[in-house]
Amino acid sequence: MNILEYEEAKRVERHELLERWRSRFSMAGFKPYPLSSSINATIKTLLENYYRSYTLDMKNGVLYFGWMNRDESQFGCFLCLEIVILPEV
């Protein structure tokens, strides 16, 4: 389903805490899946070579991207445990 298609002009940005997203994914039948440490190390090296003010840290299986020691974005991966078919609204 294309969420943007259904929201049209009413679309608003929704910034929510990471724990809220973890909860949503868990209720939908997903579990956290670890990100590759080799890929994380490669990205971190590229960022450090580009500009030292960028940060990249792994905390509790989530990759935190930051600027000047302040977390800006988080990236995680989830694995589907079961297929959940929701009724149409």
Side-chain angles (χ1 to χ4, degrees), residues 15-83:
H15 300 280
E16 296 190 47
L17 298 176
L18 177 61
E19 289 307 315
R20 179 75 174 149
W21 281 109
R22 281 185 193 227
S23 174
R24 287 176 191 240
F25 277 105
S26 177
M27 288 186 296
F30 290 82
K31 74 171 186 172
Y33 189 78
L35 297 168
S36 168
S37 59
S38 63
I39 291 174
N40 297 345
T42 302
I43 295 170
K44 188 170 190 165
T45 302
L46 289 171
L47 283 175
E48 287 173 349
N49 289 335
Y50 179 71
Y51 199 77
R52 295 237 180 244
S53 292
Y54 288 114
T55 58
L56 195 69
D57 294 313
M58 178 67 79
K59 303 174 195 170
N60 299 322
V62 176
L63 194 60
Y64 287 79
F65 175 74
W67 171 255
M68 307 280 293
N69 294 319
R70 181 171 182 245
D71 292 334
E72 296 292 332
S73 299
Q74 299 87 28
F75 304 91
C77 184
F78 291 83
L79 180 65
C80 181
L81 297 175
E82 58 186 81
I83 296 175

